[in-house]
Amino acid sequence: MSGADPGDPIVIAGIGVEAPGGVGTPAEFWAALAGGRELIGAFPRDREWPLAEVLGLGERESWGTVCDAGGFLTAAAEFDPLFFGITPREAVAMDPQQRVALRVAWRALEHAGMNPAALEGDSAGCWMGVSTMEYGPRASEINEFNGYRVTGAAQGAVAGRISHAFGLLGPSISVDTACASSLTAVHQAAAAIRAGECDWALAGGVCVMGSPGAFYEFARNNALAADGHCRPYAADATGTLWGEGAGVVVLERESRAAARGHRVYGRLLGSRVNHNGGGAPLAVPSAAAQERLIRGTLAASGVAPDRVGVVEGHGTGTPVGDPLELAALAGTYGSAGGAGPYLGSVKSNTGHAQAAAGMLGLIKVLLCGLHGQVAPSLFADRPTAEIDWDTAGLRLATELTDWEPIDDCRYAAVSSFGVSGTNAHAIIGMPVPRESDV
């Protein structure tokens, strides 16, 4: 395995995605993004959730409203266990995040032109962002799933299942930095490839809600959207809206991709992870930390901020988080001069997919680069007045817009910030595709 070589960047050579609204392929995801579709639906009725209680939380004193809305995966309960060599009994005991991650990883490999069934013994790694979602009974209960609960409930098994199913021998690590998890996973996977720990890697994130616990938490904190829509950077944003999703990308060196005839969707030019530090409460974002993170990522990438045409922001639609993020973006990308980059958030389409949110944003950027267009961010026609947009050097992406390349490349940035204070940022360079590739 080769060591670090700045002339041989880490590239993204395959994409797998599953998003709300029945989206199961990159093409379906792009159609939804380009068409400005909101992929929000009613709460699932097949998960045995106490919906009367959940939807009635707003009637309690000091609790916020919970709307019958979210970005839920329509195929979360679907899985073919025998296809992956898993017994049906074990499959039921598995956290659905493991099941969804397995099939999306398979799709990413196929999208890269690789045969997932022919990888046994390959020195590839796997990094998956995931958070605990309260699926299934407790391991201390006596039930028909005893014996499978340790692996079925373990977060480490999300990456481990993938490595096991494909016979991959490199590092296999599940990453939990809350909502920054999937971008952190990409950052760590790329670092491992550069260090020679593996030849290539799968990296991504998954979120399937095994319980409605996240709605309880944010209803109690009055941080949920009051109208069932996630409105990033909008004047009428009242809070976030929870969603689900999964995304996996194939990472390898560009020389390896060329030798194997793999398509390059983007080059990972720089990525960094940091923390807010102390001071404010743990869950409160820090504009100063975000600005430090962005400046560090730009320095690592060697890309000047005025070359970045699109910023896929964290953009949760919360009255506290969005203004702080906008301040950090205005102080970095906005200060570069000119019209500034287009800004948006995929959460306006899908809701906040938590540990998978950054990966859905990254895939959105890759698809925008592939098609040479900036997808609109929904609900952006009335931007927040918390910043002066005329002087901030940022443009909200309100409609599908052509994206002109610079020197045959389109540059974008992706942010993802965790409620535990961890922040992740990545800068991607996407070569202009041949007409036949689009």
Side-chain angles (χ1 to χ4, degrees):
M1 287 182 281
S2 59
D5 180 0
D8 191 9
I10 306 298
V11 301
I12 295 165
I15 303 168
V17 66
E18 195 161 313
V23 169
T25 67
E28 291 172 352
F29 197 32
W30 173 248
L33 295 170
R37 283 174 48 205
E38 188 183 25
L39 303 174
I40 302 304
F43 273 65
R45 264 57 180 176
D46 61 351
R47 302 190 188 183
E48 300 181 357
W49 289 358
L51 293 184
E53 180 177 275
V54 175
L55 298 176
L57 289 174
E59 299 171 9
R60 295 171 175 266
E61 186 178 354
S62 301
W63 288 62
T65 300
V66 178
C67 298
D68 190 4
F72 300 103
L73 294 181
T74 57
E78 298 175 11
F79 184 64
D80 184 353
L82 298 180
F83 182 84
F84 290 102
I86 299 168
T87 66
R89 180 165 165 252
E90 182 176 7
V92 175
M94 289 166 54
D95 187 329
Q97 297 184 120
Q98 295 183 29
R99 303 181 224 144
V100 172
L102 265 176
R103 67 173 175 237
V104 175
W106 183 284
R107 292 172 189 165
L109 291 165
E110 288 189 322
H111 190 254
M114 302 169 70
N115 180 358
L119 299 175
E120 183 76 35
D122 214 319
S123 60
C126 180
W127 281 259
M128 288 295 297
V130 60
S131 295
T132 300
M133 286 288 142
E134 295 186 311
Y135 174 75
R138 293 181 300 167
S140 59
E141 293 180 2
I142 298 174
N143 55 62
E144 61 184 304
F145 303 114
N146 291 136
Y148 291 118
R149 292 299 296 141
V150 171
T151 55
Q155 287 178 226
V158 173
R161 289 278 183 191
I162 295 170
S163 296
H164 180 262
F166 303 136
L168 308 181
L169 304 182
S172 188
I173 300 172
S174 292
V175 178
D176 187 359
T177 53
C179 306
S181 296
S182 56
L183 271 196
T184 304
V186 170
H187 172 72
Q188 292 185 351
I193 296 173
R194 294 188 189 101
E197 294 182 56
C198 51
D199 287 330
W200 61 277
L202 291 163
V206 62
C207 174
V208 183
M209 287 180 276
S211 87
F215 288 91
Y216 282 78
E217 281 294 291
F218 267 51
R220 187 65 184 88
N221 292 329
N222 287 278
L224 284 175
D227 60 356
H229 302 284
C230 189
R231 302 173 182 267
Y233 317 121
D236 48 0
T238 56
T240 200
L241 182 71
W242 294 126
E244 302 175 328
V248 177
V249 294
V250 176
L251 297 176
E252 61 187 350
R253 289 194 176 279
E254 189 158 12
S255 60
R256 188 180 191 276
R260 287 160 176 75
H262 296 166
R263 170 72 188 282
V264 172
Y265 292 91
R267 300 182 181 104
L268 183 61
L269 300 177
S271 60
R272 286 291 184 271
V273 175
N274 77 354
H275 194 271
N276 294 335
L282 179 65
V284 175
S286 166
Q290 292 173 25
E291 187 164 338
R292 286 195 303 272
L293 176 73
I294 292 169
R295 293 190 185 281
T297 311
L298 284 165
S301 71
V303 176
D306 61 357
R307 295 173 76 84
V308 174
V310 169
V311 173
E312 173 63 16
H314 187 57
T316 58
T318 55
V320 173
D322 280 13
L324 291 171
E325 181 184 5
L326 289 169
L329 292 172
T332 50
Y333 295 108
S335 64
Y342 285 103
L343 170 65
S345 172
V346 73
K347 296 176 185 66
S348 68
N349 306 91
T350 64
H352 187 353
Q354 303 165 72
M359 181 53 57
L360 293 184
L362 173 59
I363 293 172
K364 173 187 171 182
V365 158
L366 294 170
L367 295 175
C368 287
L370 176 64
H371 293 275
Q373 294 179 300
V374 182
S377 194
L378 309 186
F379 312 113
D381 49 328
R382 292 186 62 241
T384 177
E386 292 292 330
I387 67 165
D388 183 348
W389 291 91
D390 291 333
T391 61
L394 304 168
R395 294 177 286 174
L396 272 180
T398 58
E399 59 185 4
L400 189 65
T401 305
D402 288 340
W403 183 4
E404 295 301 320
I406 299 174
D407 299 330
D408 291 327
C409 192
R410 297 181 174 94
Y411 298 93
V414 186
S415 288
S416 196
F417 309 136
V419 73
S420 55
T422 300
N423 309 302
H425 193 70
I427 295 175
I428 312 296
M430 289 152 287
V432 174
R434 302 183 302 272
E435 250 182 67
S436 59
D437 291 329
V438 179

